[in-house]
Amino acid sequence: MFTTLILFSLILFVVFISISGFGKLLLNLSNLNIQLIHDFKSLEFIFGLIAVGFFAILLNVFISINDIVTSFLILLGIAVYFFFFFKNENKKNEIFLIFFLVTASLFFSFYSLSNDDFDYHFKTIMNFKELDVFKIVHERRTSYNSHWLLINAAFYLKSYPASVFCITSLLYNLIVFDFYRALKRGINNSNFLASIYSFLALVFLFGVINQYKEWGTDFPGQIILLCIFLIYFENNKKIIENNEYKIFVILVLISVFAFTIKISNSLIFIFLLFIFFQMKQKVLLFFYCLPCIVPAFLWFLHNFIITECLIWPVS
């Protein structure tokens, strides 16, 4: 038992720093590494998931996302992470965050197989692990191409089945960590709306804690949407009055990501339109946001190859 805990802790550690490495790279390449990223640690992780998902789609065109590919992605992400880590002036805070995440994620990753995910979502993950996209046989129960399942395949090691819990557990605990810090910021800055929202969101997150440990695709998208609203409540003056377009671009990109996880999350775009029409220089802003649709386009294409439907089951 002790050996299992140590091994799983190690896997959580390497998966986290690998995804964070990809996130740091994407943030720096996109010139979006602003103060908001330091306020919300989950954003760097989400950007890492977006980057990995992008590479996974491209790789799956040619090969399956097998354990060799998974090991390569993990090692590449780790190398990138340490490249940025040695430039980090707050190494102690980073180490503390990693320790907290690994410990909390280890505690919350115990799981029972007594639900339909084993028959449904896990088979989709295994399709990606064993087949390239052109060899996946379209079946109603195994071919729904949620982007979350492909990303799970990218970090799932068949030789260690418990690794399937890693990214959901890490994302959950990062979001909890961010909401706790946001609650403290809101109280200190007298931002009552952000404080109340953070508190209620924490109650919600702890209240549904028994549901997040599944392979399902509902929970990851939902907690990303919770984060989007919190970012707006904390930064609405910066976004609308100061026209800080980079914050809006980040909101658009992670909203697109939530959409590729679960199509029903598309309702968030109504909220983004509400923000967009209050901002200045709308034409320029529109072109800044255009690259954000690239992940969704690749996801649509990947899904179309599998199902021959633009959005399953609509042909």
Side-chain angles (χ1 to χ4, degrees), residues 231-295:
I231 291 170
Y232 175 74
F233 292 148
E234 275 200 347
N235 299 276
N236 59 325
K237 290 184 179 179
K238 292 180 181 179
I239 297 171
I240 296 172
E241 295 180 10
N242 300 338
N243 207 52
E244 293 194 14
Y245 70 92
K246 289 186 179 181
I247 298 177
F248 184 73
V249 171
I250 290 172
L251 291 180
V252 171
L253 183 56
I254 63 176
S255 296
V256 169
F257 181 59
F259 168 71
T260 62
I261 293 174
K262 193 80 172 181
I263 294 173
S264 57
N265 293 330
S266 59
L267 293 174
I268 192 63
F269 294 119
I270 298 174
F271 178 65
L272 293 181
L273 283 174
F274 167 77
I275 300 173
F276 176 81
F277 285 117
Q278 296 184 73
M279 297 183 69
K280 305 169 186 176
Q281 298 178 314
K282 295 179 181 61
V283 175
L284 185 61
L285 180 61
F286 173 78
F287 284 104
Y288 276 131
C289 293
L290 268 183
C292 297
I293 68 172
V294 173

Coordinates of all heavy atoms in Angstrom, one line a residue, residues 231-295:
I231 N -13.1 35.2 -12.6 CA -12.1 36.1 -13.3 C -12.8 37.4 -13.6 O -12.3 38.5 -13.4 CB -11.5 35.5 -14.5 CG1 -10.6 34.3 -14.0 CG2 -10.7 36.5 -15.3 CD1 -10.0 33.5 -15.2
Y232 N -14.1 37.3 -14.2 CA -14.8 38.5 -14.6 C -15.2 39.3 -13.4 O -15.0 40.5 -13.4 CB -16.1 38.1 -15.4 CG -16.9 39.3 -15.7 CD1 -16.5 40.2 -16.7 CD2 -18.1 39.5 -15.0 CE1 -17.3 41.3 -16.9 CE2 -18.9 40.7 -15.2 CZ -18.5 41.5 -16.2 OH -19.2 42.6 -16.5
F233 N -15.7 38.7 -12.3 CA -16.1 39.4 -11.1 C -14.9 40.2 -10.5 O -15.1 41.2 -9.9 CB -16.7 38.5 -10.1 CG -18.1 37.9 -10.5 CD1 -18.5 36.6 -10.1 CD2 -18.9 38.6 -11.3 CE1 -19.7 36.1 -10.5 CE2 -20.1 38.1 -11.8 CZ -20.5 36.9 -11.4
E234 N -13.8 39.6 -10.6 CA -12.6 40.2 -10.0 C -12.0 41.3 -10.9 O -11.4 42.3 -10.4 CB -11.5 39.2 -9.7 CG -11.6 38.5 -8.4 CD -10.3 37.9 -8.0 OE1 -9.3 37.8 -8.8 OE2 -10.2 37.5 -6.8
N235 N -12.2 41.2 -12.2 CA -11.5 42.0 -13.2 C -12.4 42.8 -14.1 O -11.9 43.3 -15.2 CB -10.5 41.2 -14.0 CG -9.4 40.5 -13.2 OD1 -8.4 41.1 -12.8 ND2 -9.7 39.3 -12.8
N236 N -13.7 42.9 -13.8 CA -14.6 43.5 -14.7 C -14.3 45.0 -15.1 O -14.4 45.4 -16.2 CB -16.1 43.4 -14.2 CG -16.2 44.1 -12.9 OD1 -15.3 44.1 -12.0 ND2 -17.4 44.7 -12.7
K237 N -13.7 45.7 -14.1 CA -13.3 47.1 -14.4 C -12.1 47.2 -15.3 O -12.1 48.0 -16.2 CB -13.0 47.8 -13.1 CG -14.3 48.1 -12.2 CD -13.9 48.9 -11.0 CE -15.2 49.2 -10.2 NZ -14.8 50.0 -8.9
K238 N -11.2 46.3 -15.1 CA -10.0 46.2 -16.0 C -10.4 45.9 -17.4 O -9.9 46.4 -18.4 CB -9.0 45.2 -15.5 CG -8.3 45.5 -14.2 CD -7.3 44.5 -13.8 CE -6.7 44.8 -12.4 NZ -5.7 43.7 -12.0
I239 N -11.4 44.9 -17.5 CA -11.8 44.5 -18.8 C -12.6 45.5 -19.6 O -12.3 45.8 -20.8 CB -12.6 43.2 -18.7 CG1 -11.8 42.0 -18.1 CG2 -13.1 42.7 -20.1 CD1 -12.6 40.8 -17.8
I240 N -13.5 46.1 -18.9 CA -14.5 47.0 -19.6 C -14.0 48.5 -19.6 O -13.9 49.1 -20.7 CB -15.9 46.9 -19.0 CG1 -16.4 45.5 -19.2 CG2 -16.8 48.0 -19.6 CD1 -17.7 45.2 -18.4
E241 N -13.6 49.0 -18.4 CA -13.1 50.4 -18.4 C -11.7 50.6 -18.9 O -11.5 51.6 -19.6 CB -13.2 50.9 -16.9 CG -14.7 50.9 -16.4 CD -14.7 51.3 -14.9 OE1 -13.7 51.8 -14.4 OE2 -15.8 51.2 -14.3
N242 N -10.8 49.7 -18.6 CA -9.4 49.8 -19.0 C -9.1 49.1 -20.3 O -8.0 49.2 -20.9 CB -8.5 49.4 -18.0 CG -8.6 50.1 -16.7 OD1 -9.1 51.3 -16.7 ND2 -8.2 49.5 -15.6
N243 N -10.1 48.4 -20.8 CA -10.0 47.6 -22.1 C -8.8 46.7 -22.1 O -8.1 46.7 -23.1 CB -10.0 48.6 -23.3 CG -10.5 47.9 -24.6 OD1 -11.6 47.4 -24.6 ND2 -9.7 48.0 -25.6
E244 N -8.5 46.0 -21.0 CA -7.4 45.1 -21.0 C -7.8 43.8 -21.8 O -8.3 42.8 -21.2 CB -7.0 44.8 -19.5 CG -6.5 46.0 -18.8 CD -5.8 45.7 -17.5 OE1 -5.5 44.5 -17.3 OE2 -5.5 46.6 -16.8
Y245 N -7.5 43.9 -23.1 CA -8.0 42.8 -24.0 C -7.4 41.5 -23.7 O -8.0 40.4 -24.0 CB -7.7 43.3 -25.4 CG -6.2 43.2 -25.8 CD1 -5.7 42.1 -26.4 CD2 -5.4 44.3 -25.6 CE1 -4.3 42.1 -26.7 CE2 -4.1 44.3 -25.9 CZ -3.5 43.2 -26.5 OH -2.2 43.2 -26.8
K246 N -6.2 41.4 -23.1 CA -5.5 40.1 -22.9 C -6.4 39.3 -21.9 O -6.4 38.0 -22.1 CB -4.1 40.3 -22.4 CG -3.2 40.8 -23.5 CD -1.7 40.8 -22.9 CE -0.8 41.3 -24.0 NZ 0.6 41.3 -23.6
I247 N -7.0 39.9 -20.9 CA -7.8 39.1 -20.0 C -9.0 38.6 -20.8 O -9.4 37.4 -20.6 CB -8.3 40.1 -18.9 CG1 -7.2 40.6 -18.1 CG2 -9.3 39.3 -18.0 CD1 -7.6 41.5 -16.9
F248 N -9.6 39.3 -21.7 CA -10.7 38.9 -22.5 C -10.3 37.7 -23.4 O -11.0 36.7 -23.5 CB -11.3 40.0 -23.3 CG -12.6 39.6 -24.1 CD1 -13.8 39.4 -23.4 CD2 -12.5 39.4 -25.4 CE1 -14.9 39.0 -24.1 CE2 -13.6 39.0 -26.1 CZ -14.8 38.8 -25.5
V249 N -9.1 37.8 -24.0 CA -8.6 36.8 -24.9 C -8.5 35.5 -24.1 O -8.8 34.4 -24.6 CB -7.3 37.2 -25.5 CG1 -6.7 36.0 -26.3 CG2 -7.5 38.3 -26.5
I250 N -7.9 35.6 -22.9 CA -7.8 34.4 -22.0 C -9.2 33.8 -21.7 O -9.3 32.5 -21.8 CB -7.1 34.7 -20.7 CG1 -5.6 35.0 -21.0 CG2 -7.2 33.6 -19.7 CD1 -4.8 35.6 -19.8
L251 N -10.2 34.6 -21.4 CA -11.5 34.1 -21.2 C -12.1 33.4 -22.4 O -12.7 32.3 -22.3 CB -12.4 35.3 -20.8 CG -12.2 35.9 -19.4 CD1 -13.2 37.0 -19.2 CD2 -12.2 34.9 -18.3
V252 N -11.8 33.9 -23.6 CA -12.3 33.3 -24.8 C -11.7 32.0 -25.0 O -12.3 31.0 -25.3 CB -12.1 34.2 -26.0 CG1 -12.4 33.5 -27.3 CG2 -12.9 35.5 -25.9
L253 N -10.4 31.9 -24.8 CA -9.6 30.7 -25.1 C -10.1 29.5 -24.2 O -10.3 28.4 -24.6 CB -8.1 30.9 -25.0 CG -7.2 29.7 -25.3 CD1 -7.5 29.2 -26.7 CD2 -5.8 30.1 -25.2
I254 N -10.2 29.8 -22.9 CA -10.6 28.8 -21.9 C -12.0 28.4 -22.1 O -12.5 27.3 -21.8 CB -10.2 29.1 -20.5 CG1 -10.9 30.3 -20.0 CG2 -8.7 29.3 -20.3 CD1 -10.7 30.6 -18.5
S255 N -12.8 29.4 -22.6 CA -14.3 29.1 -22.9 C -14.3 28.1 -24.1 O -15.2 27.2 -24.1 CB -15.0 30.3 -23.2 OG -15.1 31.2 -22.1
V256 N -13.5 28.3 -25.1 CA -13.5 27.4 -26.2 C -13.0 26.0 -25.8 O -13.6 25.0 -26.2 CB -12.5 28.0 -27.3 CG1 -12.2 26.9 -28.4 CG2 -13.1 29.2 -28.0
F257 N -12.1 26.0 -24.9 CA -11.6 24.7 -24.3 C -12.7 24.0 -23.6 O -13.0 22.8 -23.8 CB -10.4 25.0 -23.4 CG -9.9 23.7 -22.8 CD1 -9.4 22.7 -23.6 CD2 -9.8 23.5 -21.4 CE1 -8.9 21.5 -23.0 CE2 -9.3 22.4 -20.8 CZ -8.8 21.4 -21.6
A258 N -13.5 24.8 -22.8 CA -14.6 24.2 -22.0 C -15.7 23.6 -23.0 O -16.3 22.6 -22.8 CB -15.3 25.2 -21.1
F259 N -15.9 24.3 -24.1 CA -16.8 23.9 -25.2 C -16.4 22.6 -25.8 O -17.2 21.7 -26.1 CB -16.9 25.0 -26.3 CG -17.6 24.5 -27.5 CD1 -19.0 24.3 -27.5 CD2 -16.9 24.3 -28.7 CE1 -19.6 23.9 -28.7 CE2 -17.5 23.9 -29.8 CZ -18.9 23.7 -29.9
T260 N -15.1 22.4 -26.0 CA -14.6 21.1 -26.6 C -14.7 20.0 -25.6 O -14.7 18.8 -26.0 CB -13.2 21.3 -27.1 OG1 -12.3 21.6 -26.1 CG2 -13.0 22.4 -28.2
I261 N -14.7 20.3 -24.4 CA -14.9 19.3 -23.4 C -16.4 18.8 -23.3 O -16.7 17.6 -23.3 CB -14.5 19.8 -22.0 CG1 -13.0 20.0 -21.9 CG2 -14.9 18.8 -20.9 CD1 -12.6 20.7 -20.6
K262 N -17.3 19.8 -23.4 CA -18.7 19.4 -23.4 C -19.5 20.5 -24.2 O -19.4 21.7 -23.9 CB -19.2 19.4 -21.9 CG -20.6 18.8 -21.8 CD -20.5 17.3 -21.7 CE -21.9 16.7 -21.4 NZ -21.8 15.2 -21.3
I263 N -20.2 20.1 -25.2 CA -20.8 21.0 -26.1 C -21.8 21.9 -25.4 O -22.0 23.1 -25.8 CB -21.5 20.3 -27.3 CG1 -20.5 19.6 -28.2 CG2 -22.4 21.2 -28.1 CD1 -21.1 18.7 -29.2
S264 N -22.5 21.4 -24.4 CA -23.5 22.2 -23.6 C -22.8 23.4 -23.0 O -23.5 24.4 -22.6 CB -24.2 21.4 -22.6 OG -23.2 20.8 -21.7
N265 N -21.5 23.4 -22.8 CA -20.8 24.6 -22.2 C -20.8 25.8 -23.2 O -20.3 26.9 -22.8 CB -19.4 24.2 -21.9 CG -19.3 23.2 -20.7 OD1 -20.2 23.2 -19.9 ND2 -18.3 22.4 -20.7
S266 N -21.3 25.6 -24.4 CA -21.4 26.7 -25.4 C -22.2 27.9 -24.9 O -22.0 29.0 -25.4 CB -21.9 26.2 -26.7 OG -23.2 25.7 -26.5
L267 N -23.0 27.7 -23.9 CA -23.8 28.8 -23.4 C -23.0 29.9 -22.8 O -23.4 31.1 -22.7 CB -24.8 28.3 -22.3 CG -25.9 27.4 -22.8 CD1 -26.8 26.9 -21.7 CD2 -26.8 28.1 -23.8
I268 N -21.7 29.6 -22.5 CA -20.8 30.6 -21.9 C -20.5 31.7 -23.0 O -20.2 32.9 -22.6 CB -19.5 30.0 -21.4 CG1 -18.7 31.0 -20.6 CG2 -18.7 29.5 -22.6 CD1 -19.3 31.4 -19.4
F269 N -20.7 31.4 -24.2 CA -20.4 32.4 -25.3 C -21.4 33.6 -25.3 O -21.1 34.7 -25.7 CB -20.3 31.7 -26.6 CG -19.2 30.8 -26.8 CD1 -19.4 29.4 -27.0 CD2 -17.9 31.2 -26.7 CE1 -18.4 28.5 -27.2 CE2 -16.8 30.3 -26.8 CZ -17.1 29.0 -27.0
I270 N -22.6 33.3 -24.7 CA -23.5 34.4 -24.6 C -23.0 35.4 -23.6 O -23.1 36.6 -23.8 CB -24.9 33.9 -24.1 CG1 -25.5 32.9 -25.2 CG2 -25.9 35.0 -23.8 CD1 -26.8 32.2 -24.7
F271 N -22.4 34.9 -22.5 CA -21.8 35.8 -21.5 C -20.6 36.6 -22.1 O -20.5 37.8 -21.8 CB -21.4 34.9 -20.3 CG -20.7 35.7 -19.2 CD1 -21.4 36.7 -18.5 CD2 -19.3 35.5 -18.9 CE1 -20.7 37.4 -17.5 CE2 -18.7 36.2 -17.9 CZ -19.4 37.1 -17.2
L272 N -19.8 35.9 -22.9 CA -18.7 36.6 -23.5 C -19.1 37.6 -24.5 O -18.5 38.7 -24.6 CB -17.8 35.5 -24.3 CG -17.1 34.5 -23.4 CD1 -16.2 33.6 -24.3 CD2 -16.2 35.2 -22.4
L273 N -20.2 37.4 -25.2 CA -20.8 38.4 -26.1 C -21.2 39.7 -25.3 O -21.0 40.8 -25.7 CB -21.9 37.9 -26.9 CG -21.6 37.0 -28.1 CD1 -22.8 36.4 -28.7 CD2 -20.8 37.8 -29.2
F274 N -21.8 39.4 -24.1 CA -22.2 40.5 -23.3 C -21.0 41.4 -22.9 O -21.1 42.6 -22.9 CB -22.9 39.9 -22.0 CG -23.0 40.9 -20.9 CD1 -24.0 41.9 -20.9 CD2 -22.2 40.9 -19.8 CE1 -24.2 42.8 -19.9 CE2 -22.3 41.8 -18.7 CZ -23.3 42.7 -18.8
I275 N -19.9 40.7 -22.6 CA -18.6 41.5 -22.3 C -18.1 42.2 -23.5 O -17.7 43.3 -23.4 CB -17.6 40.5 -21.7 CG1 -18.1 39.8 -20.4 CG2 -16.3 41.3 -21.4 CD1 -17.1 38.8 -19.9
F276 N -18.1 41.5 -24.6 CA -17.5 42.0 -25.9 C -18.1 43.3 -26.3 O -17.4 44.3 -26.6 CB -17.6 40.9 -27.0 CG -17.2 41.4 -28.3 CD1 -15.8 41.4 -28.6 CD2 -18.1 41.9 -29.3 CE1 -15.3 41.8 -29.9 CE2 -17.6 42.3 -30.5 CZ -16.3 42.2 -30.8
F277 N -19.4 43.4 -26.2 CA -20.1 44.6 -26.7 C -20.0 45.8 -25.7 O -20.4 46.9 -26.1 CB -21.6 44.3 -26.9 CG -21.8 43.5 -28.2 CD1 -22.4 42.2 -28.1 CD2 -21.5 44.0 -29.4 CE1 -22.6 41.4 -29.2 CE2 -21.7 43.2 -30.6 CZ -22.2 42.0 -30.5
Q278 N -19.4 45.5 -24.6 CA -19.1 46.6 -23.6 C -17.7 47.2 -23.8 O -17.3 48.2 -23.2 CB -19.3 46.2 -22.2 CG -20.8 45.9 -21.9 CD -21.0 45.5 -20.4 OE1 -20.9 46.4 -19.5 NE2 -21.1 44.2 -20.1
M279 N -16.9 46.5 -24.6 CA -15.4 46.8 -24.7 C -15.2 47.8 -25.9 O -16.1 47.9 -26.8 CB -14.6 45.6 -24.8 CG -14.6 44.7 -23.6 SD -13.6 43.2 -23.7 CE -11.9 44.0 -23.7
K280 N -14.0 48.4 -25.9 CA -13.7 49.3 -27.0 C -12.9 48.6 -28.1 O -12.4 47.5 -27.9 CB -12.8 50.4 -26.4 CG -13.5 51.2 -25.2 CD -12.5 52.1 -24.5 CE -13.1 52.7 -23.3 NZ -12.1 53.6 -22.6
Q281 N -12.7 49.2 -29.2 CA -12.0 48.7 -30.3 C -12.4 47.2 -30.6 O -11.6 46.3 -30.7 CB -10.5 48.8 -30.0 CG -10.0 50.2 -29.8 CD -8.5 50.2 -29.4 OE1 -8.0 49.5 -28.6 NE2 -7.8 51.1 -30.1
K282 N -13.6 47.1 -30.9 CA -14.2 45.7 -31.1 C -13.6 45.0 -32.3 O -13.4 43.8 -32.2 CB -15.7 45.8 -31.2 CG -16.4 46.3 -29.9 CD -17.9 46.4 -30.1 CE -18.6 46.9 -28.8 NZ -18.2 48.3 -28.5
V283 N -13.4 45.7 -33.4 CA -12.9 45.1 -34.6 C -11.5 44.5 -34.3 O -11.2 43.3 -34.6 CB -12.8 46.0 -35.7 CG1 -12.1 45.4 -37.0 CG2 -14.2 46.5 -36.1
L284 N -10.6 45.3 -33.7 CA -9.3 44.8 -33.3 C -9.3 43.6 -32.3 O -8.6 42.7 -32.5 CB -8.5 46.0 -32.7 CG -7.0 45.7 -32.4 CD1 -6.3 45.3 -33.7 CD2 -6.4 46.9 -31.8
L285 N -10.2 43.8 -31.4 CA -10.4 42.7 -30.4 C -10.9 41.4 -31.0 O -10.4 40.3 -30.6 CB -11.4 43.1 -29.3 CG -11.7 42.2 -28.2 CD1 -10.5 41.9 -27.4 CD2 -12.8 42.7 -27.3
F286 N -11.7 41.5 -32.0 CA -12.2 40.3 -32.7 C -11.1 39.6 -33.4 O -11.0 38.4 -33.3 CB -13.3 40.8 -33.8 CG -13.7 39.6 -34.7 CD1 -14.6 38.7 -34.2 CD2 -13.2 39.5 -36.0 CE1 -15.0 37.7 -35.1 CE2 -13.6 38.5 -36.8 CZ -14.5 37.6 -36.4
F287 N -10.2 40.3 -34.0 CA -9.0 39.7 -34.7 C -8.0 39.1 -33.7 O -7.4 38.1 -33.9 CB -8.4 40.6 -35.6 CG -9.1 40.9 -36.9 CD1 -9.9 42.0 -37.1 CD2 -9.1 39.9 -37.9 CE1 -10.6 42.2 -38.3 CE2 -9.8 40.1 -39.1 CZ -10.6 41.2 -39.2
Y288 N -7.9 39.7 -32.5 CA -7.1 39.2 -31.4 C -7.6 37.8 -31.0 O -6.8 36.9 -30.6 CB -7.0 40.1 -30.2 CG -6.0 41.2 -30.4 CD1 -6.3 42.6 -30.1 CD2 -4.7 41.0 -30.7 CE1 -5.4 43.6 -30.2 CE2 -3.7 42.0 -30.8 CZ -4.1 43.3 -30.5 OH -3.2 44.3 -30.7
C289 N -8.9 37.7 -31.0 CA -9.6 36.5 -30.5 C -9.6 35.4 -31.5 O -9.9 34.2 -31.1 CB -11.0 36.8 -30.0 SG -11.0 37.8 -28.5
L290 N -9.5 35.7 -32.8 CA -9.6 34.7 -33.8 C -8.8 33.4 -33.7 O -9.2 32.3 -33.9 CB -9.3 35.3 -35.2 CG -10.5 35.9 -36.0 CD1 -10.1 36.4 -37.3 CD2 -11.6 34.9 -36.1
P291 N -7.5 33.6 -33.3 CA -6.7 32.3 -33.1 C -7.2 31.4 -32.0 O -6.9 30.2 -32.1 CB -5.3 32.9 -32.7 CG -5.3 34.3 -33.2 CD -6.7 34.8 -33.1
C292 N -8.1 31.9 -31.2 CA -8.6 31.0 -30.1 C -9.5 29.9 -30.7 O -9.8 28.9 -29.9 CB -9.4 31.9 -29.1 SG -8.5 33.1 -28.2
I293 N -10.0 30.1 -31.9 CA -10.9 29.0 -32.5 C -10.1 27.9 -33.0 O -10.7 26.8 -33.4 CB -11.8 29.6 -33.5 CG1 -11.1 30.0 -34.8 CG2 -12.6 30.8 -32.9 CD1 -11.9 30.5 -35.9
V294 N -8.8 28.0 -33.1 CA -8.0 26.9 -33.7 C -8.2 25.6 -33.0 O -8.4 24.5 -33.6 CB -6.5 27.3 -33.8 CG1 -5.6 26.1 -34.3 CG2 -6.3 28.5 -34.8
P295 N -8.1 25.5 -31.6 CA -8.3 24.3 -31.0 C -9.7 23.7 -31.3 O -9.8 22.4 -31.4 CB -8.2 24.6 -29.5 CG -7.3 25.9 -29.5 CD -7.7 26.6 -30.7

